[in-house]
Amino acid sequence: MLLVHGWGGDGREWSPHAEALAGHARVIVPDLRGHGRSEVPEEGNTPAETVDDLSALLDTLDPGPVTAVGHSMGGQVVNLLAVRHPHLVRSVVALDPAHGTEVEAIPARLADYRATGARAAAAFVAAAFGHTAPPGLRTAHLRTMLGTPGHVIAQSCAGSTPTRARSASARSARRTCAAAPRPRSRSGPRRRRQPGSAAP
């Protein structure tokens, strides 16, 4: 089973699920490129490039066709993984994949993400948590989002949006992310093995 986190998150968000599933299935929990402990390229931090990373990871680990589960941007990633690499995917579970939602608001949000990176993204995400969210979940996700480099936030969001929203954003905002941390060297996801899961 492949568990793919969402925009501005990392594999730790799946920890309770991975631990619960580890006794029943081999569980693979990567940090997507630019997120968590994976490498941070200057360009290419989009769902499409992430799919290529995951394909390479699965080819290396050779778990057989996986049940690919993704949340938010991760839902888009697992859908695309199944389309591009059907031999790697047995089934898909896409949780709130945000395919084209709130299209009219996207250009302005992308401009904010390019200007202020994770700060603007954190403000948007904070509003997504209702009063019934488990204690600590909102804070944990915001801390992870704020630790994601600004250029990754902007590129990941731009790569997740419909073409017409990206075109409008390109016309209205040509700014780059301010004060983004220097990227690390190479791209590609790292897999975290949860306690109790089988070694590769």
Side-chain angles (χ1 to χ4, degrees):
M1 181 170 286
L2 175 69
L3 304 179
V4 181
H5 67 79
W7 178 59
D10 66 24
R12 289 175 296 181
E13 296 173 0
W14 291 108
S15 294
H17 309 85
E19 290 176 8
L21 292 165
H24 308 284
R26 183 177 180 187
V27 181
I28 301 168
V29 187
D31 286 343
L32 300 180
R33 65 164 59 197
H35 295 74
R37 294 182 297 176
S38 282
E39 301 293 344
V40 183
E42 292 192 46
E43 300 293 336
N45 296 287
T46 68
E49 276 87 3
T50 294
V51 165
D52 295 336
D53 294 338
L54 292 180
S55 171
L57 178 67
L58 293 174
D59 282 339
T60 299
L61 296 177
D62 193 24
V66 298
T67 296
V69 183
H71 172 250
S72 187
M73 184 184 78
Q76 298 180 22
V77 169
V78 297
N79 282 335
L80 192 54
L81 179 67
V83 170
R84 288 190 176 178
H85 305 280
H87 65 288
L88 297 175
V89 180
R90 175 187 297 114
S91 58
V92 168
V93 180
L95 305 167
D96 194 18
H99 287 299
T101 58
E102 302 176 315
V103 170
E104 287 71 23
I106 289 172
R109 285 194 187 131
L110 277 175
D112 286 344
Y113 302 152
R114 289 181 173 123
T116 61
R119 293 192 303 274
F124 172 72
V125 169
F129 286 87
H131 67 281
T132 59
L137 183 63
R138 177 178 179 273
T139 298
H141 190 72
L142 290 178
R143 287 175 59 88
T144 305
M145 175 71 79
L146 288 168
T148 304
H151 72 286
V152 173
I153 292 291
Q155 290 173 25
S156 296
C157 181
S160 298
T161 59
T163 303
R164 62 193 171 104
R166 287 200 302 271
S167 298
S169 177
R171 290 191 299 270
S172 65
R174 295 287 184 184
R175 295 176 289 174
T176 56
C177 294
R182 292 298 302 163
R184 288 166 262 171
S185 57
R186 290 174 308 207
S187 63
R190 288 188 184 160
R191 177 187 55 89
R192 286 201 182 101
R193 187 157 45 88
Q194 297 297 326
S197 63

mmCIF file with all atom_site columns, all heavy atoms in Angstrom, residues 39-42 149 151 180-185:
data_model
loop_
_atom_site.group_PDB
_atom_site.id
_atom_site.type_symbol
_atom_site.label_atom_id
_atom_site.label_alt_id
_atom_site.label_comp_id
_atom_site.label_asym_id
_atom_site.label_entity_id
_atom_site.label_seq_id
_atom_site.pdbx_PDB_ins_code
_atom_site.Cartn_x
_atom_site.Cartn_y
_atom_site.Cartn_z
_atom_site.occupancy
_atom_site.B_iso_or_equiv
_atom_site.pdbx_formal_charge
_atom_site.auth_seq_id
_atom_site.auth_comp_id
_atom_site.auth_asym_id
_atom_site.auth_atom_id
_atom_site.pdbx_PDB_model_num
ATOM 1  N N   . GLU A 1 39  ? 14.735 15.599 -1.049 1.00 0.00 ? 39  GLU A N   1
ATOM 2  C CA  . GLU A 1 39  ? 15.521 16.660 -1.665 1.00 0.00 ? 39  GLU A CA  1
ATOM 3  C C   . GLU A 1 39  ? 14.611 17.757 -2.217 1.00 0.00 ? 39  GLU A C   1
ATOM 4  O O   . GLU A 1 39  ? 13.448 17.504 -2.533 1.00 0.00 ? 39  GLU A O   1
ATOM 5  C CB  . GLU A 1 39  ? 16.384 16.081 -2.794 1.00 0.00 ? 39  GLU A CB  1
ATOM 6  C CG  . GLU A 1 39  ? 17.348 14.988 -2.336 1.00 0.00 ? 39  GLU A CG  1
ATOM 7  C CD  . GLU A 1 39  ? 18.443 15.488 -1.420 1.00 0.00 ? 39  GLU A CD  1
ATOM 8  O OE1 . GLU A 1 39  ? 18.646 16.719 -1.365 1.00 0.00 ? 39  GLU A OE1 1
ATOM 9  O OE2 . GLU A 1 39  ? 19.095 14.660 -0.765 1.00 0.00 ? 39  GLU A OE2 1
ATOM 10 N N   . VAL A 1 40  ? 15.180 18.962 -2.334 1.00 0.00 ? 40  VAL A N   1
ATOM 11 C CA  . VAL A 1 40  ? 14.399 20.131 -2.757 1.00 0.00 ? 40  VAL A CA  1
ATOM 12 C C   . VAL A 1 40  ? 15.005 20.722 -4.031 1.00 0.00 ? 40  VAL A C   1
ATOM 13 O O   . VAL A 1 40  ? 15.923 21.529 -3.970 1.00 0.00 ? 40  VAL A O   1
ATOM 14 C CB  . VAL A 1 40  ? 14.360 21.205 -1.647 1.00 0.00 ? 40  VAL A CB  1
ATOM 15 C CG1 . VAL A 1 40  ? 13.475 22.378 -2.074 1.00 0.00 ? 40  VAL A CG1 1
ATOM 16 C CG2 . VAL A 1 40  ? 13.873 20.616 -0.343 1.00 0.00 ? 40  VAL A CG2 1
ATOM 17 N N   . PRO A 1 41  ? 14.504 20.308 -5.196 1.00 0.00 ? 41  PRO A N   1
ATOM 18 C CA  . PRO A 1 41  ? 15.017 20.914 -6.433 1.00 0.00 ? 41  PRO A CA  1
ATOM 19 C C   . PRO A 1 41  ? 14.508 22.341 -6.591 1.00 0.00 ? 41  PRO A C   1
ATOM 20 O O   . PRO A 1 41  ? 13.489 22.723 -6.017 1.00 0.00 ? 41  PRO A O   1
ATOM 21 C CB  . PRO A 1 41  ? 14.461 20.005 -7.532 1.00 0.00 ? 41  PRO A CB  1
ATOM 22 C CG  . PRO A 1 41  ? 13.253 19.370 -6.934 1.00 0.00 ? 41  PRO A CG  1
ATOM 23 C CD  . PRO A 1 41  ? 13.498 19.267 -5.458 1.00 0.00 ? 41  PRO A CD  1
ATOM 24 N N   . GLU A 1 42  ? 15.225 23.122 -7.380 1.00 0.00 ? 42  GLU A N   1
ATOM 25 C CA  . GLU A 1 42  ? 14.800 24.507 -7.612 1.00 0.00 ? 42  GLU A CA  1
ATOM 26 C C   . GLU A 1 42  ? 13.576 24.571 -8.511 1.00 0.00 ? 42  GLU A C   1
ATOM 27 O O   . GLU A 1 42  ? 12.770 25.490 -8.407 1.00 0.00 ? 42  GLU A O   1
ATOM 28 C CB  . GLU A 1 42  ? 15.943 25.313 -8.232 1.00 0.00 ? 42  GLU A CB  1
ATOM 29 C CG  . GLU A 1 42  ? 17.105 25.524 -7.281 1.00 0.00 ? 42  GLU A CG  1
ATOM 30 C CD  . GLU A 1 42  ? 18.077 26.566 -7.812 1.00 0.00 ? 42  GLU A CD  1
ATOM 31 O OE1 . GLU A 1 42  ? 17.631 27.638 -8.265 1.00 0.00 ? 42  GLU A OE1 1
ATOM 32 O OE2 . GLU A 1 42  ? 19.283 26.291 -7.768 1.00 0.00 ? 42  GLU A OE2 1
ATOM 33 N N   . PRO A 1 149 ? 9.646  24.798 1.751  1.00 0.00 ? 149 PRO A N   1
ATOM 34 C CA  . PRO A 1 149 ? 10.172 25.976 1.040  1.00 0.00 ? 149 PRO A CA  1
ATOM 35 C C   . PRO A 1 149 ? 9.110  26.663 0.191  1.00 0.00 ? 149 PRO A C   1
ATOM 36 O O   . PRO A 1 149 ? 8.259  26.012 -0.426 1.00 0.00 ? 149 PRO A O   1
ATOM 37 C CB  . PRO A 1 149 ? 11.284 25.385 0.167  1.00 0.00 ? 149 PRO A CB  1
ATOM 38 C CG  . PRO A 1 149 ? 11.711 24.147 0.885  1.00 0.00 ? 149 PRO A CG  1
ATOM 39 C CD  . PRO A 1 149 ? 10.456 23.596 1.502  1.00 0.00 ? 149 PRO A CD  1
ATOM 40 N N   . HIS A 1 151 ? 9.148  28.209 -2.679 1.00 0.00 ? 151 HIS A N   1
ATOM 41 C CA  . HIS A 1 151 ? 9.054  27.912 -4.117 1.00 0.00 ? 151 HIS A CA  1
ATOM 42 C C   . HIS A 1 151 ? 8.377  26.565 -4.356 1.00 0.00 ? 151 HIS A C   1
ATOM 43 O O   . HIS A 1 151 ? 7.711  26.374 -5.366 1.00 0.00 ? 151 HIS A O   1
ATOM 44 C CB  . HIS A 1 151 ? 10.429 27.980 -4.785 1.00 0.00 ? 151 HIS A CB  1
ATOM 45 C CG  . HIS A 1 151 ? 11.352 26.857 -4.459 1.00 0.00 ? 151 HIS A CG  1
ATOM 46 N ND1 . HIS A 1 151 ? 11.983 26.736 -3.237 1.00 0.00 ? 151 HIS A ND1 1
ATOM 47 C CD2 . HIS A 1 151 ? 11.748 25.793 -5.198 1.00 0.00 ? 151 HIS A CD2 1
ATOM 48 C CE1 . HIS A 1 151 ? 12.731 25.649 -3.238 1.00 0.00 ? 151 HIS A CE1 1
ATOM 49 N NE2 . HIS A 1 151 ? 12.612 25.054 -4.415 1.00 0.00 ? 151 HIS A NE2 1
ATOM 50 N N   . ALA A 1 180 ? 12.764 32.242 0.093  1.00 0.00 ? 180 ALA A N   1
ATOM 51 C CA  . ALA A 1 180 ? 12.666 30.778 0.107  1.00 0.00 ? 180 ALA A CA  1
ATOM 52 C C   . ALA A 1 180 ? 14.007 30.198 0.528  1.00 0.00 ? 180 ALA A C   1
ATOM 53 O O   . ALA A 1 180 ? 15.052 30.673 0.095  1.00 0.00 ? 180 ALA A O   1
ATOM 54 C CB  . ALA A 1 180 ? 12.296 30.259 -1.277 1.00 0.00 ? 180 ALA A CB  1
ATOM 55 N N   . PRO A 1 181 ? 14.016 29.176 1.379  1.00 0.00 ? 181 PRO A N   1
ATOM 56 C CA  . PRO A 1 181 ? 15.281 28.557 1.774  1.00 0.00 ? 181 PRO A CA  1
ATOM 57 C C   . PRO A 1 181 ? 16.006 27.981 0.557  1.00 0.00 ? 181 PRO A C   1
ATOM 58 O O   . PRO A 1 181 ? 15.382 27.592 -0.420 1.00 0.00 ? 181 PRO A O   1
ATOM 59 C CB  . PRO A 1 181 ? 14.841 27.425 2.708  1.00 0.00 ? 181 PRO A CB  1
ATOM 60 C CG  . PRO A 1 181 ? 13.469 27.794 3.148  1.00 0.00 ? 181 PRO A CG  1
ATOM 61 C CD  . PRO A 1 181 ? 12.874 28.585 2.035  1.00 0.00 ? 181 PRO A CD  1
ATOM 62 N N   . ARG A 1 182 ? 17.338 27.950 0.631  1.00 0.00 ? 182 ARG A N   1
ATOM 63 C CA  . ARG A 1 182 ? 18.114 27.377 -0.458 1.00 0.00 ? 182 ARG A CA  1
ATOM 64 C C   . ARG A 1 182 ? 17.782 25.906 -0.605 1.00 0.00 ? 182 ARG A C   1
ATOM 65 O O   . ARG A 1 182 ? 17.711 25.177 0.373  1.00 0.00 ? 182 ARG A O   1
ATOM 66 C CB  . ARG A 1 182 ? 19.609 27.514 -0.184 1.00 0.00 ? 182 ARG A CB  1
ATOM 67 C CG  . ARG A 1 182 ? 20.104 28.949 -0.223 1.00 0.00 ? 182 ARG A CG  1
ATOM 68 C CD  . ARG A 1 182 ? 19.919 29.612 -1.564 1.00 0.00 ? 182 ARG A CD  1
ATOM 69 N NE  . ARG A 1 182 ? 20.598 28.889 -2.619 1.00 0.00 ? 182 ARG A NE  1
ATOM 70 C CZ  . ARG A 1 182 ? 20.348 29.055 -3.897 1.00 0.00 ? 182 ARG A CZ  1
ATOM 71 N NH1 . ARG A 1 182 ? 19.409 29.887 -4.301 1.00 0.00 ? 182 ARG A NH1 1
ATOM 72 N NH2 . ARG A 1 182 ? 21.008 28.367 -4.793 1.00 0.00 ? 182 ARG A NH2 1
ATOM 73 N N   . PRO A 1 183 ? 17.582 25.440 -1.825 1.00 0.00 ? 183 PRO A N   1
ATOM 74 C CA  . PRO A 1 183 ? 17.250 24.038 -2.007 1.00 0.00 ? 183 PRO A CA  1
ATOM 75 C C   . PRO A 1 183 ? 18.417 23.119 -1.700 1.00 0.00 ? 183 PRO A C   1
ATOM 76 O O   . PRO A 1 183 ? 19.574 23.514 -1.795 1.00 0.00 ? 183 PRO A O   1
ATOM 77 C CB  . PRO A 1 183 ? 16.867 23.942 -3.483 1.00 0.00 ? 183 PRO A CB  1
ATOM 78 C CG  . PRO A 1 183 ? 17.372 25.163 -4.117 1.00 0.00 ? 183 PRO A CG  1
ATOM 79 C CD  . PRO A 1 183 ? 17.554 26.198 -3.062 1.00 0.00 ? 183 PRO A CD  1
ATOM 80 N N   . ARG A 1 184 ? 18.081 21.899 -1.309 1.00 0.00 ? 184 ARG A N   1
ATOM 81 C CA  . ARG A 1 184 ? 19.093 20.873 -1.171 1.00 0.00 ? 184 ARG A CA  1
ATOM 82 C C   . ARG A 1 184 ? 19.462 20.364 -2.557 1.00 0.00 ? 184 ARG A C   1
ATOM 83 O O   . ARG A 1 184 ? 18.989 20.873 -3.555 1.00 0.00 ? 184 ARG A O   1
ATOM 84 C CB  . ARG A 1 184 ? 18.575 19.761 -0.263 1.00 0.00 ? 184 ARG A CB  1
ATOM 85 C CG  . ARG A 1 184 ? 18.516 20.232 1.196  1.00 0.00 ? 184 ARG A CG  1
ATOM 86 C CD  . ARG A 1 184 ? 17.709 19.279 2.034  1.00 0.00 ? 184 ARG A CD  1
ATOM 87 N NE  . ARG A 1 184 ? 16.354 19.829 2.171  1.00 0.00 ? 184 ARG A NE  1
ATOM 88 C CZ  . ARG A 1 184 ? 15.357 19.150 2.693  1.00 0.00 ? 184 ARG A CZ  1
ATOM 89 N NH1 . ARG A 1 184 ? 15.517 17.926 3.104  1.00 0.00 ? 184 ARG A NH1 1
ATOM 90 N NH2 . ARG A 1 184 ? 14.171 19.707 2.795  1.00 0.00 ? 184 ARG A NH2 1
ATOM 91 N N   . SER A 1 185 ? 20.247 19.326 -2.659 1.00 0.00 ? 185 SER A N   1
ATOM 92 C CA  . SER A 1 185 ? 20.897 19.013 -3.927 1.00 0.00 ? 185 SER A CA  1
ATOM 93 C C   . SER A 1 185 ? 20.046 18.325 -4.975 1.00 0.00 ? 185 SER A C   1
ATOM 94 O O   . SER A 1 185 ? 19.910 18.814 -6.062 1.00 0.00 ? 185 SER A O   1
ATOM 95 C CB  . SER A 1 185 ? 22.155 18.199 -3.656 1.00 0.00 ? 185 SER A CB  1
ATOM 96 O OG  . SER A 1 185 ? 21.828 17.029 -2.935 1.00 0.00 ? 185 SER A OG  1
#
